[in-house]
């Protein structure tokens, strides 16, 4: 039985959705009710249509005007938001850069004072200038440079003449040179300390000079000077492609990740600044007069305050947005810049999206306006209206079906993505599992084949032996899978008593596939019973595995790779030494290998977090990790943890 709505459509071409709910509820499906319903629809439509048509027409015009204006507003707002985001990023970059600069400089802050306390330097301060005294001072300064890592270290007398220097044995020796014209020397004589960045007049290499005056009663003072090399910062910025630079008090860039900015002024230099730089020989060898300023002509020298507005710089690579911050060292200014190309693109995208949205909304209103007029005509043309309603219904059905199809496709794609993630996780585990299980499976197949042959020959004793061998192979596969499942489960967080030999054994088992690929087997040197420590077993196992994998990386490619794991116990502590004969760690990097994100591997081979995480794990147990050179070359990585009340555990029982 057709509904009242369908009958009205067939008879007069009206739409029951146009009838208010209270009138629609009066009809239940009879023929008389259907005719009355049609008259009610027409009556309400005739009453509402003129007012609705005028309103929709006004809204269409207003929307058209708004569509013309909105893209410009959207471009302005989006550009402002994007610039604000860039400024926030630049501000964070400036904070990080300032901390990095301060940390790099503060490493050598106390070195001049410490050097001045040495007996060999005190002898110079007392006026002893004999050849043995000067030779001892030279050797001492050279040793300090080799261990502490500054570029150069030297001693000046009260007249600025170099008495001793760490580079005394090189052609660029500072000994005998007069540096009284340098500001760091003058400040140190007057105020006790002096700092200054300049290009060395002797070595022609730039550096940051930190000077401290050493006073001795009844004797002229001497000045201890450290020349720190800040070029690693510049190389790091340049390698990362970061538009970061440091300018001195006159606005001259002396460190920069952009080579085009090096030794260029931010703004034009005045005559006083030029004379002062020439007098102090700050950038000797650099032609400052031939370089153009970095900032626009109408821009003053930035102060670097947090409220200071950003500056736009025209660079060879395009328009840059730059911010400045001040650094305490000598009135330096740090410049951080970033490209504005993406900002304009993003603002243009939002302007276009707003324009399209406005056009769609205008089109929708215009369509609605036309629709009201068409419906009014359809009230008099029932047959035409019925065809249009049917067509519209078909469109809606097609749209609904299309949406359903799209939803099904989205669900299918989502399921495929989830399945792909599952397969990826299995893929990461499959190599170790296949490697450790394939060989026992092959051996098991051969053993069972032999067992079948022996069974046909009626040799029960040999059959029993082969069955025992097959069971041992199955146990081997079970033990491999058990280690992988145990290591893969979520870490516990509660401390417990752990046998250290169990941790060593599990780490060796987990690293066995990698070790076999390199053609070696780590040798464990430990005598039972196993010491017991308080730790989280899986975490301590992870830390030891990280060190073992690093050792395997170090010996990769050697003709005679060797790794020895030696467990010792002394003075209430147990130490596990992982010794390899690999390439070793450079002495200057041993103190940095435990820092987060520090790595000597090639790009993409690691984030430099493994040793940092291992250090955190071991510290939770009250222990520490140390690195030292192994006898005969290579590295000895040591995990040292405090010992708890030991209980006898041997390695076989732990397994």
């Amino acid at each position: 039985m057709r509904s009242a709505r369908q009958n009205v459509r067939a008879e007069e071409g009206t739409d029951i959705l146009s009838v208010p709910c209270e009138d629609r509820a009066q009809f239940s499906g009879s023929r008389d009710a259907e005719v009355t319903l049609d008259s009610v629809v027409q009556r309400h439509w005739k009453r509402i249509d003129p007012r609705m048509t005028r309103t929709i027409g006004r809204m269409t015009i207003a929307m058209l005007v708004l569509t013309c204006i909105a893209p410009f507003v959207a471009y302005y707002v989006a550009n402002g938001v994007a610039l604000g985001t860039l400024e926030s990023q630049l501000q964070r970059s400036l904070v990080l850069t300032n901390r990095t600069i301060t940390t790099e400089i503060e490493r050598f802050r106390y070195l001049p004072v410490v050097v001045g306390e040495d007996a060999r330097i005190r002898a110079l301060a007392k006026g002893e200038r004999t050849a043995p005294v000067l030779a001892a001072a030279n050797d001492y300064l050279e040793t300090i440079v080799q261990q502490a890592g500054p570029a150069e270290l030297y001693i000046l007398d009260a007249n600025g003449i170099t008495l001793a220097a760490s580079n005394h044995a090189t052609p660029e020796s500072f000994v005998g040179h007069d540096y009284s014209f340098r500001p760091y020397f003058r400040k140190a004589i007057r105020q006790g300390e002096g700092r200054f960045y300049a290009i060395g007049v002797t070595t022609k290499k730039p550096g940051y000079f930190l000077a401290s005056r050493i006073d001795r009663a009844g004797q002229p003072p001497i000045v201890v000077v450290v020349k720190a090399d800040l070029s690693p910062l510049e190389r790091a910025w340049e390698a990362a492609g970061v538009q970061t630079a440091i300018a001195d008090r006159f606005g001259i860039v002396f460190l920069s990740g952009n080579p085009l900015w090096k030794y260029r002024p931010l703004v034009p230099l005045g005559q006083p600044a030029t004379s002062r730089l020439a007098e102090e020989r700050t950038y000797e060898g650099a032609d400052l007069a031939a370089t153009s300023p970095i900032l626009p002509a109408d821009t003053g020298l930035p102060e670097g305050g947090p409220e200071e507005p950003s500056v736009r710089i025209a660079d060879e690579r395009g328009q840059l947005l730059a911010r400045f911050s001040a650094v305490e060292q000598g009135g330096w200014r740090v410049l951080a810049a970033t490209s504005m190309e993406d900002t304009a693109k993003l603002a243009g995208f939002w302007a276009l999206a707003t324009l399209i949205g406005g056009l769609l909304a205008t089109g929708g209103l215009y369509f609605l306006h036309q629709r009201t007029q068409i419906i009014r005509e359809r009230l008099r043309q029932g047959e035409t209206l019925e065809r249009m309603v049917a067509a519209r219904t078909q469109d809606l059905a097609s749209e609904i079906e299309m949406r359903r199809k799209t939803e099904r496709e989205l669900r299918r794609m989502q399921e495929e993505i989830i399945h792909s993630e599952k397969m990826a996780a299995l893929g990461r585990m499959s190599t170790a599992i296949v490697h450790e299980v394939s060989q026992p499976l092959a051996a098991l197949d051969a053993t069972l084949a032999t067992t079948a042959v022996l069974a046909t020959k009626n040799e029960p004793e040999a059959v029993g032996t082969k069955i025992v061998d097959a069971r041992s192979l199955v146990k081997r596969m079970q033990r491999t899978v058990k280690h992988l499942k145990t290591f893969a489960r979520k870490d516990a967080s509660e401390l417990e008593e752990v046998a250290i030999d169990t941790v060593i054994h599990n780490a060796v088992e987990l690293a066995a596939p990698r070790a076999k690929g390199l053609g070696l087997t780590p040798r464990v040197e430990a005598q039972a019973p196993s010491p017991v420590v308080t730790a989280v077993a899986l975490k301590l196992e992870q830390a030891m595995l990280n060190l073992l994998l690093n050792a395997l990386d170090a010996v990769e490619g050697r003709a005679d790779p060797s790794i020895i794991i030696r467990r010792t116990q002394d003075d209430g502590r147990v130490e596990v030494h992982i010794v390899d004969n690999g390439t070793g760690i450079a002495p200057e990097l041993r103190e940095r290998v435990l820092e987060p994100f520090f790595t000597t591997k090639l790009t993409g081979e690691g984030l430099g977090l493994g040793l940092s995480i291992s250090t955190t794990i071991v510290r939770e147990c009250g222990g520490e990790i140390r690195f030292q050179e192994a006898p005969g070359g290579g590295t000895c990585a040591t995990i040292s943890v405090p010992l708890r009340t030991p209980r006898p555990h041997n390695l076989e029982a732990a397994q």
Side-chain angles (χ1 to χ4, degrees):
M1 179 178 181
R2 302 199 322 176
S3 65
R5 177 180 176 183
Q6 292 171 328
N7 286 327
V8 171
R9 282 183 176 174
E11 297 278 336
E12 300 292 340
T14 57
D15 192 346
I16 195 172
L17 295 179
S18 305
V19 183
C21 295
E22 61 272 14
D23 290 327
R24 210 185 317 159
Q26 299 174 5
F27 309 101
S28 58
S30 65
R31 181 63 183 172
D32 295 339
E34 294 172 2
V35 176
T36 307
L37 176 60
D38 180 67
S39 62
V40 171
V41 170
Q42 294 186 25
R43 184 178 70 253
H44 281 284
W45 180 257
K46 291 177 182 178
R47 186 183 64 194
I48 297 174
D49 181 66
R51 183 173 63 253
M52 180 185 298
T53 303
R54 289 192 298 270
T55 302
I56 294 175
R58 295 191 189 102
M59 291 176 61
T60 303
I61 296 174
M63 182 58 69
L64 182 60
V65 174
L66 184 61
T67 300
C68 296
I69 299 175
F72 299 97
V73 177
Y75 183 90
Y76 176 79
V77 173
N79 190 61
V81 172
L83 289 178
T85 303
L86 288 182
E87 289 183 352
S88 300
Q89 294 175 353
L90 290 176
Q91 190 62 38
R92 290 192 294 270
S93 177
L94 288 172
V95 172
L96 180 61
T97 303
N98 286 356
R99 291 179 180 174
T100 302
I101 295 170
T102 303
T103 302
E104 189 69 18
I105 292 175
E106 290 300 318
R107 290 197 305 135
F108 304 106
R109 177 181 177 184
Y110 299 103
L111 186 58
V113 178
V114 173
V115 170
E117 295 299 322
D118 187 81
R120 287 158 285 196
I121 306 304
R122 288 202 302 269
L124 292 178
K126 293 178 181 179
E128 300 178 16
R129 309 292 165 83
T130 62
V133 172
L134 292 175
N138 284 327
D139 293 339
Y140 171 68
L141 296 178
E142 184 178 2
T143 302
I144 291 296
V145 167
Q146 293 174 354
Q147 296 180 355
E152 303 295 347
L153 185 62
Y154 52 100
I155 310 297
L156 305 178
D157 63 10
N159 297 318
I161 306 300
T162 305
L163 300 175
S166 58
N167 63 350
H168 65 95
T170 66
E172 300 174 342
S173 173
F174 295 162
V175 177
H177 286 270
D178 183 2
Y179 297 110
S180 60
F181 62 91
R182 286 297 198 187
Y184 63 80
F185 171 76
R186 299 174 184 175
K187 290 181 181 179
I189 292 296
R190 293 195 310 267
Q191 304 173 8
E193 289 187 354
R195 297 185 179 187
F196 188 64
Y197 188 92
I199 297 177
V201 296
T202 303
T203 63
K204 307 303 180 184
K205 297 178 181 178
Y208 188 64
F209 298 86
L210 298 92
S212 293
R213 186 183 67 207
I214 306 299
D215 296 319
R216 287 292 180 268
Q219 296 292 335
I222 63 172
V223 176
V224 180
V225 184
V226 174
K227 181 182 179 183
D229 184 10
L230 300 183
S231 60
L233 291 176
E234 185 177 51
R235 289 194 295 270
W237 295 337
E238 185 173 354
V242 178
Q243 301 281 1
T244 302
I246 306 177
D248 63 10
R249 65 188 186 279
F250 299 113
I252 299 175
V253 174
F254 58 86
L255 283 179
S256 174
N258 185 348
L260 301 177
W261 290 353
K262 192 70 173 290
Y263 300 126
R264 286 177 59 187
L266 297 176
V267 296
L269 295 175
Q271 183 60 37
T274 304
S275 301
R276 184 71 175 273
L277 292 171
E279 177 186 353
E280 296 173 353
R281 301 170 68 182
T282 306
Y283 302 108
E284 185 165 321
D287 190 4
L288 300 178
T291 59
S292 59
I294 296 175
L295 299 183
D298 57 347
T299 305
L301 186 62
E303 296 295 332
E307 303 299 329
E308 196 170 39
S310 302
V311 179
R312 300 191 180 189
I313 301 175
D315 188 72
E316 289 79 357
R317 306 174 185 177
Q319 194 78 2
L320 301 179
L321 183 69
R323 287 188 64 85
F324 293 84
S325 67
V327 183
E328 296 180 1
Q329 282 79 11
W332 291 357
R333 295 168 180 83
V334 179
L335 163 64
T338 186
S339 174
M340 297 175 59
E341 180 180 359
D342 294 338
T343 303
K345 291 181 180 179
L346 181 62
F349 167 78
W350 282 109
L352 180 61
T354 304
L355 177 61
I356 294 174
L359 292 175
L360 291 176
T362 303
L365 287 174
Y366 179 76
F367 172 79
L368 183 60
H369 180 263
Q370 295 298 315
R371 180 68 174 171
T372 58
Q373 295 179 344
I374 293 173
I375 291 177
R376 189 174 177 83
E377 184 67 22
R378 284 176 182 173
L379 288 172
R380 295 187 297 269
Q381 302 175 357
E383 184 178 357
T384 304
L385 179 60
E386 183 65 18
R387 289 196 300 268
M388 295 181 68
V389 170
R392 179 60 178 165
T393 303
Q394 185 177 0
D395 292 342
L396 290 175
S398 299
E399 184 179 348
I400 292 173
E401 181 62 27
M402 183 62 68
R403 290 184 179 180
R404 290 176 178 173
K405 183 178 179 181
T406 303
E407 290 177 358
R408 289 195 298 269
E409 186 67 19
L410 288 175
R411 283 195 295 269
R412 185 185 64 80
M413 292 178 63
Q414 184 178 19
E415 291 172 357
E416 288 182 358
I417 291 174
I418 294 174
H419 183 68
S420 297
E421 289 296 327
K422 292 180 181 178
M423 296 304 296
L426 290 176
R428 289 193 293 271
M429 299 170 58
S430 62
T431 302
I433 296 174
V434 169
H435 184 80
E436 289 299 309
V437 174
S438 60
Q439 293 180 352
L441 279 176
L444 179 61
D445 180 66
T447 301
L448 292 177
T450 304
T451 303
V453 173
L454 294 174
T456 59
K457 294 181 179 181
N458 197 17
E459 298 181 10
E461 294 183 359
V463 169
T465 301
K466 291 300 179 180
I467 291 176
V468 171
D469 293 340
R471 291 189 63 192
S472 66
L473 292 171
V474 172
K475 289 181 179 180
R476 176 182 172 184
M477 289 185 289
Q478 289 176 336
R479 184 166 61 252
T480 299
V481 175
K482 176 183 177 182
H483 279 296
L484 292 171
K485 290 172 60 180
T486 301
F487 187 74
R489 76 168 186 261
K490 188 176 180 181
D491 287 349
S493 58
E494 296 182 359
L495 296 175
E496 56 185 342
E497 291 188 353
V498 180
I500 196 69
D501 286 359
T502 302
V503 175
I504 297 173
H505 173 75
N506 290 341
V508 172
E509 285 288 330
L510 289 169
R514 177 70 192 282
K516 290 178 182 178
L518 298 178
L520 67 91
T521 300
R523 188 169 81 249
V524 180
E525 297 181 357
Q527 297 181 353
S530 170
V532 178
V533 299
T534 301
V536 179
L538 288 180
K539 288 185 176 181
L540 187 58
E541 182 178 321
Q542 178 182 354
M544 197 165 299
L545 180 62
N546 283 341
L547 296 180
L548 183 54
L549 292 178
N550 283 349
L552 290 171
D553 290 339
V555 301
E556 184 175 1
R558 290 187 62 89
D560 56 342
S562 171
I563 295 179
I564 301 174
I565 303 175
R566 185 179 298 112
R567 188 256 297 159
T568 61
Q569 178 180 343
D570 187 21
D571 296 334
R573 300 184 72 85
V574 59
E575 294 187 346
V576 179
H577 310 276
I578 302 177
V579 185
D580 64 73
N581 64 343
T583 55
I585 303 175
E588 63 272 14
L589 299 180
R590 288 177 190 157
E591 297 300 325
R592 299 189 61 195
V593 293
L594 299 180
E595 296 178 2
F597 301 106
F598 178 83
T599 178
T600 58
K601 297 180 180 179
L602 297 176
T603 303
E605 294 185 1
L607 295 176
L609 291 174
L611 292 179
S612 176
I613 293 173
S614 300
T615 302
T616 303
I617 291 173
V618 174
R619 286 177 179 171
E620 289 179 0
C621 309
E624 63 176 351
I625 296 179
R626 302 189 306 271
F627 291 92
Q628 59 188 13
E629 185 178 357
T635 303
C636 176
T638 301
I639 295 179
S640 176
V641 292
L643 195 62
R644 289 294 180 264
T645 304
R647 293 184 298 180
H649 288 275
N650 56 47
L651 188 58
E652 294 297 330
Q655 297 176 13

